Amino acid sequence: MNMASKDKYKSLLERYKQALIKNPKLNLSAYCRLNGVSVSGMHHYIEDIGQSVKSIRDAVLKATEHQNCEAFVPFTADSPHSDIDRADVTIQLPNGTLVSVSHCDAGIITAMLNALK
């Protein structure tokens, strides 16, 4: 594979990753066809760089799975609106552990965070 072909496939793969963020069901083969790029050539390029379509999709989707939250609301137990119930709260701890709570109030979350200090 020559350098121009590698650059073409590399560029398309990066654009595919960006498009995948917006549409997680996007198929690489269909994306190649839409952009006039050889599907088999793209698969060879992906193999040459030591990846697979699945590993690329999984990495992009994993990196973006928590970016679609509706709001980030900092609060403490004594802040205004601390008595309002919260739904679907996800907290990522410094060690990478995700804690998901389906329903609680600010006081419970604050107590939990204080216990983890």
Side-chain angles (χ1 to χ4, degrees):
M1 187 176 293
N2 64 36
M3 190 58 90
S5 293
K6 286 183 182 181
D7 289 343
K8 176 177 69 172
Y9 291 125
K10 181 179 180 180
S11 173
L12 185 77
L13 186 57
E14 290 306 312
R15 292 193 321 260
Y16 170 71
K17 289 177 185 178
Q18 292 302 313
L20 191 59
I21 292 169
K22 295 176 185 162
N23 180 4
K25 295 182 179 187
L26 185 62
N27 180 289
L28 179 61
S29 296
Y31 192 76
C32 287
R33 283 189 213 94
L34 285 172
N35 287 278
V37 173
S38 165
V39 175
S40 63
M42 176 58 83
H43 285 279
H44 287 297
Y45 170 74
I46 290 171
E47 287 176 10
D48 288 349
I49 61 171
Q51 303 241 354
S52 70
V53 175
K54 183 177 179 352
S55 69
I56 291 167
R57 286 183 60 83
D58 289 350
V60 169
L61 297 177
K62 182 171 176 54
T64 60
E65 69 184 1
H66 297 291
Q67 291 182 0
N68 61 355
C69 66
E70 293 179 19
F72 175 77
V73 183
F75 61 88
T76 61
D78 58 349
S79 67
H81 310 296
S82 63
D83 59 337
I84 297 174
D85 286 343
R86 309 290 178 192
D88 297 324
V89 175
T90 301
I91 301 169
Q92 184 166 4
L93 303 178
N95 68 358
T97 302
L98 289 176
V99 178
S100 294
V101 181
S102 61
H103 186 80
C104 63
D105 64 29
I108 292 170
I109 295 172
T110 303
M112 182 183 71
L113 292 174
N114 286 336
L116 294 170
K117 284 184 180 179

